Amino acid sequence: MLLLDGVRFRYGPRSPWVVAGARLAVEPGEIVGLHGPSGVGKSTLGRLAAGLLTPEAGRIEVDGRPPRPAPGRPHPVQLVLQHPQHAVDPRWTIREVLAEADRNAAPDPELVAEHWLDRYPHEVSGGELQRVNLARALLARPRYLVADEISASLDALTQARIWYLLLDRARSERIGVLAISHDRALLDAVASRVVGWAELFRGVDQSAAVPA
């Protein structure tokens, strides 16, 4: 499983805790929704789970081991963000963006149309670029995927399409998904279970100092 146990993080030694003792587990193939209002720290937790931030205390494990990339393979936890344009190099074609994950594998044609491949990110729509971002994450063959508000900026039809494709791949390949959103109705529709932000810290003294 993807496990976060007693994870603490803050953006500086004098800053308040953003994540203060979080506990969360995601099983292979499980879709876990993380619900909470904007600004509480959900995205920070997602970056911690994906290995983009290092916790000040606590542990993060993937299938019982520290989440380190294997030789020649990206990190086993991939992150897909709300704004896809912030996650791609605007000077690269879509083909080059996808090759960052795997130069030899073809993307899922249901996610990425062939005629997009030689376009640049600004030459496709926001929904199409989000499908490219999702395809790139899946090409990395992750064990787990963090989906952070991935459809919040999209119209209802595109939102439904992206979630249908993601859930289909997650279930067929047993990819655990942590779906982060402030939209409880969406999480109720896509997730196996939904965890509220406050539930991550049940029984935890959130003001406690990091042990020496």
Side-chain angles (χ1 to χ4, degrees):
M1 67 175 70
L2 170 62
L3 175 68
L4 291 82
D5 183 18
V7 170
R8 289 179 174 271
F9 180 84
R10 54 187 171 183
Y11 289 99
R14 298 183 181 276
S15 301
W17 295 110
V18 180
V19 178
R23 295 189 175 97
L24 179 68
V26 182
E27 299 278 356
E30 184 181 25
I31 315 297
V32 177
L34 176 57
H35 176 257
S38 298
V40 295
K42 300 188 305 299
S43 292
T44 296
L45 186 80
R47 285 169 168 79
L48 285 161
L52 300 183
L53 296 173
T54 302
E56 195 164 333
R59 63 191 173 110
I60 300 174
E61 294 181 350
V62 175
D63 299 335
R65 299 180 179 180
R68 297 191 182 98
R73 178 180 171 182
H75 198 282
V77 184
Q78 291 291 310
L79 172 66
V80 182
L81 299 168
Q82 176 180 354
H83 300 292
Q85 65 273 20
H86 296 162
V88 298
D89 190 325
R91 300 167 296 179
W92 289 1
T93 64
I94 300 303
R95 190 186 305 276
E96 291 171 314
V97 168
L98 294 170
E100 187 179 21
D102 190 328
R103 291 188 174 278
N104 300 314
D108 186 335
E110 288 198 82
L111 279 170
V112 179
E114 178 72 24
H115 65 273
W116 299 353
L117 293 177
D118 294 314
R119 296 181 181 178
Y120 290 90
H122 70 275
E123 295 178 320
V124 297
S125 71
E128 290 166 348
L129 191 56
Q130 189 65 297
R131 286 165 66 172
V132 169
N133 265 349
L134 179 56
R136 177 176 58 178
L138 293 171
L139 281 172
R141 299 180 298 282
R143 297 284 294 119
Y144 301 90
L145 188 144
V146 178
D148 186 4
E149 299 280 11
I150 63 169
S151 58
S153 303
L154 306 177
D155 64 81
L157 185 60
T158 305
Q159 183 179 93
R161 183 61 177 164
I162 283 178
W163 277 107
Y164 170 80
L165 293 169
L166 171 55
L167 297 177
D168 181 64
R169 286 290 296 275
R171 287 164 181 152
S172 65
E173 298 180 18
R174 288 183 55 76
I175 300 170
V177 177
L178 176 60
I180 298 173
S181 181
H182 65 274
D183 185 342
R184 180 60 191 247
L186 170 66
L187 294 178
D188 285 339
V190 303
S192 312
R193 61 186 174 94
V194 179
V195 179
W197 179 254
E199 294 177 61
L200 300 180
F201 311 100
R202 187 167 290 162
V204 175
D205 179 2
Q206 296 191 43
S207 65
V210 176

